[in-house]
Amino acid sequence: MAHTIEHAASARAKCRACGERIAKAELRLGERLPNPFAEGEMTHWYHPVCAALKRPEPYLEAAATTEHALERREWMDEQAALGVAHRRLPRVDGAQRAPTGRARCRSCRELIEKDAWRIALVFYEEGRFQPSGFVHAGCCGEYFGTCRVIERARHFCPGLEESDVEELKRAIEVRS
Ligand SMILES: [Zn+2]
Ligand SMILES: [Zn+2]
């Protein structure tokens, strides 16, 4: 079956990308995948916006054929296209100041100094998003091939304040 966008029949499903529950009647995106344990297919559910950011191909397929009006459709289409063009971009899972100086940047391999802004990464493997380390904010251009990570980081870290975002922007620009 094709990927789908539909109104949630219940509030039981959680979005695989952000971990939050999908409210009953809210639009949700179902990615169809072969079931590794049985005949047939299984469905992974997402908020449409979360799918646009972290599963761009299924999002674009489902959005192309849906009869539902999606909020922020143009923005989501644009973000999904960016995620297809830059293969690592869907790994963005948020941004924060490093709480310690122990993590190494996946791009430059240097330690990320305490309190420096870093981008958190998840790798999509076998239907799951695995926490997979960090890159310096300043290494975004090198690692992702684009510096357009802020909207993604904000979506997955809704607690970021305006002042945080300003700092993050400066940190991204400094070295890129
Ligand atoms: Zn979500
Ligand atoms: Zn780095």
Side-chain angles (χ1 to χ4, degrees):
M1 275 198 306
H3 308 308
T4 181
I5 292 172
E6 59 174 52
H7 291 281
S10 75
R12 279 197 302 273
K14 277 189 186 167
C15 170
R16 289 197 162 240
C18 73
E20 299 292 324
R21 224 164 263 288
I22 302 170
K24 187 174 174 176
E26 190 179 355
L27 283 176
R28 64 183 182 181
L29 185 144
E31 179 183 5
R32 314 279 195 204
L33 295 163
N35 188 335
F37 308 109
E39 287 281 304
E41 290 186 316
M42 58 185 182
T43 304
H44 285 172
W45 296 107
Y46 294 94
H47 295 112
V49 57
C50 294
L53 297 178
K54 282 192 178 165
R55 298 292 297 142
E57 282 99 349
Y59 164 82
L60 288 169
E61 270 183 55
T65 55
T66 188
E67 75 275 22
H68 294 294
L70 296 170
E71 267 177 63
R72 304 175 77 196
R73 170 73 192 260
E74 234 172 90
W75 179 83
M76 292 197 295
D77 286 0
E78 191 199 347
Q79 292 293 331
L82 266 178
V84 172
H86 303 285
R87 309 299 308 180
R88 289 172 169 173
L89 206 49
R91 295 178 179 173
V92 172
D93 192 46
Q96 68 273 131
R97 284 195 205 85
T100 71
R102 286 198 295 270
R104 229 167 250 285
C105 171
R106 285 196 86 105
S107 182
C108 71
R109 300 283 156 195
E110 301 288 326
L111 287 170
I112 301 174
E113 52 281 32
K114 186 176 187 300
D115 293 327
W117 280 95
R118 66 186 189 182
I119 304 295
L121 306 172
V122 284
F123 287 3
Y124 181 80
E125 282 161 9
E126 294 173 2
R128 288 171 189 282
F129 293 93
Q130 307 286 358
S132 301
F134 308 91
V135 291
H136 286 112
C139 288
C140 281
E142 184 70 32
Y143 185 76
F144 297 110
T146 171
C147 288
R148 294 192 56 191
V149 302
I150 288 168
E151 288 164 283
R152 284 166 194 272
R154 285 193 96 163
H155 177 76
F156 293 108
C157 278
L160 289 180
E161 309 274 353
E162 228 27 77
S163 56
D164 294 329
V165 173
E166 285 310 310
E167 283 183 23
L168 177 59
K169 272 185 195 156
R170 282 198 296 276
I172 287 172
E173 281 161 10
V174 169
R175 277 189 282 177
S176 51

